[in-house]
């Protein structure tokens, strides 16, 4: 309470609000660049080379190139391109300024050329790094705790609307950090201020540029009435299946990673080739687009659900298998976040299971998203919110089912995950610690 009543804490909030403007603008620019590069590489370039359309084999050389470029960034740029996604979702504080170019380069190549990872983890790291750098430039003698709080606010601003709502990004960072009690409030308030400003910047830039919102959104879904006993049975099944699939993906990534890291310049392009081959195989067999397998799944999730009637059950099963293998392989060598591929896999699995009796489409999608998210992220509260807030009015009705599916997947995946070796550090770390003394908490 003494810190909250101090003038310096008010100054910290003002600084967080000001900082939300350039960091959210930088995040918007990064996402816009990724979108433009994807369009140019996969649509404009083949036409410029004389093809009537994008050849089905087109992802193969691109992902080999992506593997080579990411390996160069990891090997020769400071910071190893950010943390490996095979270690799970992390919110581990502000990286040094020297690491930021390497993190941005590895993520830009990964996201633009088709590897199966999302933008949230690099954006969180870049936002934290920029926030910490701004604090050091504003006041060189700022305490480490205050710098960490501002770095956390930078992370909030960077992903303010990426998940569809500033609250979803806040819950993601809050649960991943493990903060609680009074410390949580001290860190959360500047973060929410920065996220709110960031949301306004994203909306304003979208209106000014017309490039897009780059925010996760699902189309209009059929209405869902209320859960029944049979659907609670499906929640148990979906939770168990998601735990098995998620554990398999994680084990695949951890098994491949040591081999990739030993011969990075050779092995990472081979991983990219395997990801491309999975996408081409799926497209050849199913007749659908390679983009269903490639990329994070953020843009493909809505069309998949909206056009679910165009996908046979066999095509959906093949999609889940190819996307899961490409996801695990991408985590072994590339750099990016695990959230969107997990959500897409859950949605695709829910659509596939909705072909069976007793499971409506909306319930299957919601339970699949929640269960697969918690299997990969180990964040139960965030997983429930990811699966329900995106569904609008249907979200409240389906929430009891999602909670059961998430709980089952969380417990089952914990039992399937190998126990860490004695003395191993936990997978997540807090983005910030609270300032210890109000008299030393700096303002701008």
């Amino acid at each position: 309470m003494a810190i909250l009543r101090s003038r310096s804490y008010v100054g910290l909030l003002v600084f967080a609000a000001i900082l939300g403007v350039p960091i959210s603008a930088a995040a918007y620019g990064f996402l816009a660049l990724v979108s433009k590069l994807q369009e140019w590489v996969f649509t404009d370039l083949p036409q410029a080379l004389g093809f009537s359309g994008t050849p089905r084999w087109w992802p193969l050389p691109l992902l080999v190139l992506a593997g080579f470029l990411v390996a160069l960034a990891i090997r020769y740029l400071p910071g190893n391109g950010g943390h490996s996604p095979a270690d799970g979702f992390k919110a581990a504080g502000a990286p040094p300024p020297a690491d930021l170019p390497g993190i941005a380069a590895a993520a830009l190549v990964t996201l633009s050329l088709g590897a199966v990872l999302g933008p949230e983890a690099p954006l969180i790291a870049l936002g934290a790094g920029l926030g910490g750098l701004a604090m050091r430039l504003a006041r060189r003698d700022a305490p480490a705790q205050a710098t960490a709080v501002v770095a956390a606010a930078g992370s909030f601003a960077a992903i303010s609307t990426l998940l569809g709502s500033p609250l979803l990004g806040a819950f993601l960072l809050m649960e991943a950090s493990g903060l609680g009690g009074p410390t949580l409030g001290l860190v959360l308030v500047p973060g929410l201020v920065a996220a709110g400003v960031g949301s306004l910047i994203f909306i304003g830039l979208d209106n000014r540029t017309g490039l897009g919102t780059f925010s996760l959104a699902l189309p209009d879904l059929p209405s869902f009435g209320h859960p029944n006993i049979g659907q609670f049975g499906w929640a148990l099944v979906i939770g168990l299946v998601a735990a098995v699939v998620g554990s398999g993906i994680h084990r695949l990534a951890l098994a491949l990673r040591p081999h990739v890291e030993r011969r990075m310049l050779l092995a990472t392009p081979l991983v990219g080739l395997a990801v491309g081959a999975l996408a081409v195989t799926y497209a050849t067999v199913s007749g659908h687009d390679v983009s269903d397998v490639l990329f994070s799944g953020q843009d493909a999730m809505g069309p998949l659900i909206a056009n679910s009637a165009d996908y046979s059950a066999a095509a959906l099963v093949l999609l889940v298998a190819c996307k899961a293998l490409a996801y695990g392989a991408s985590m072994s060598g590339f750099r990016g976040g695990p959230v969107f591929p997990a959500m897409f896999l859950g949605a695709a699995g829910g659509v596939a299971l909705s072909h069976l009796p007793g499971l409506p489409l909306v319930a299957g999608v919601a339970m699949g998203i929640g269960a697969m998210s918690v299997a990969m992220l180990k964040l139960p509260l965030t997983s429930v919110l990811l699966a329900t807030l995106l569904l609008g009015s249907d979200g409240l009705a389906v929430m009891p089912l999602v909670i059961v599916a998430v709980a089952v997947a969380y417990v089952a995946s914990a039992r399937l995950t190998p126990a860490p070796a004695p003395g191993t550090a936990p997978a997540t770390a807090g983005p910030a610690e609270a300032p210890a003394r109000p008299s030393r908490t700096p303002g701008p």
Side-chain angles (χ1 to χ4, degrees):
M1 293 301 297
I3 295 174
L4 287 174
R5 284 194 290 260
S6 65
R7 293 179 58 188
S8 54
Y9 189 75
V10 175
L12 194 66
L13 293 180
V14 173
F15 191 55
I18 296 172
L19 196 62
V21 175
I23 290 182
S24 57
Y28 184 93
F30 180 84
L31 294 172
L33 179 58
V34 168
S35 178
K36 287 298 182 182
L37 285 175
Q38 288 177 356
E39 182 181 358
W40 180 77
V41 169
F42 283 89
T43 303
D44 297 341
L45 183 59
Q47 295 177 2
L49 293 176
F51 294 101
S52 58
T54 303
R56 188 159 285 172
W57 51 263
W58 189 253
L60 298 175
L62 291 178
L63 279 157
V64 171
L65 175 63
F68 181 69
L69 294 177
V70 169
L72 287 177
I74 295 172
R75 175 68 63 85
Y76 296 109
L77 294 178
N80 297 318
H83 81 273
S84 170
D87 291 327
F89 183 79
K90 289 186 175 182
D99 293 356
L100 300 183
I103 294 172
L108 184 65
V109 173
T110 293
L111 300 173
S112 301
L113 298 185
V116 186
L117 289 169
E120 70 286 343
L123 284 179
I124 288 170
L126 292 171
L130 292 173
L133 176 62
M135 191 62 177
R136 295 186 190 99
L137 293 175
R139 182 168 177 178
R140 295 185 179 275
D141 61 344
Q145 298 98 328
T147 302
V149 170
V150 174
S155 294
F156 277 70
I159 61 166
S160 55
T161 62
L162 185 63
L163 299 175
S165 166
L167 283 178
L168 277 174
F171 274 108
L172 176 69
L173 291 169
M174 183 175 63
E175 192 173 14
S177 70
L179 294 175
T183 301
L184 174 61
L186 292 173
V187 177
L188 184 59
V189 174
L192 288 175
V193 170
V197 173
S199 298
L200 295 176
I201 297 301
F202 265 66
I203 294 170
L205 288 174
D206 177 34
N207 292 333
R208 298 280 292 184
T209 65
L211 295 175
T213 61
F214 308 111
S215 178
L216 180 62
L218 296 181
D220 294 332
L221 299 172
S223 61
F224 179 80
H226 57 272
N228 57 40
I229 296 298
Q231 291 163 12
F232 276 102
W234 274 114
L236 300 176
V237 172
I238 291 174
L240 291 173
V241 171
V244 173
V245 174
S247 177
I249 294 171
H250 191 219
R251 287 174 182 267
L252 174 63
L254 292 177
L256 290 176
R257 186 173 64 177
H259 303 287
V260 173
E261 290 178 344
R262 275 199 295 268
R263 297 178 178 86
M264 189 170 293
L265 293 177
L266 174 64
T268 312
L270 292 177
V271 169
L273 181 63
V275 172
L278 287 165
V280 171
T281 299
Y282 162 77
T284 302
V285 174
S286 70
H288 294 284
D289 198 86
V290 293
S291 62
D292 287 349
V293 173
L294 300 180
F295 308 112
S296 68
Q298 177 185 358
D299 296 329
M301 193 185 316
L304 172 68
I305 298 171
N307 303 315
S308 59
D310 298 336
Y311 289 78
S312 66
L316 290 166
V317 171
L318 180 63
L319 171 58
V320 170
C322 291
K323 187 82 170 184
L325 291 172
Y327 183 21
S330 296
M331 287 199 299
S332 70
F334 289 90
R335 293 294 186 261
V339 175
F340 289 117
M343 295 179 67
F344 181 89
L345 274 174
V351 173
L353 290 173
S354 69
H355 284 75
L356 299 175
L359 182 62
L361 174 66
V362 172
V365 168
M367 289 188 286
I369 291 175
M372 186 56 66
S373 295
V374 80
M376 296 305 300
L377 305 179
K378 305 299 187 289
L379 304 175
L381 177 59
T382 300
S383 299
V384 171
L385 293 175
L386 284 172
T388 55
L389 291 184
L390 294 174
L391 299 180
S393 59
D394 291 330
L396 289 177
V398 81
M399 186 178 287
L401 300 174
V402 174
I403 290 173
V404 173
V406 167
V408 171
Y410 185 53
V411 174
S413 62
R415 296 184 65 87
L416 292 172
T417 301
T424 302
T428 58
E433 296 177 0
R437 292 170 298 184
S439 61
R440 293 293 296 160
T441 307

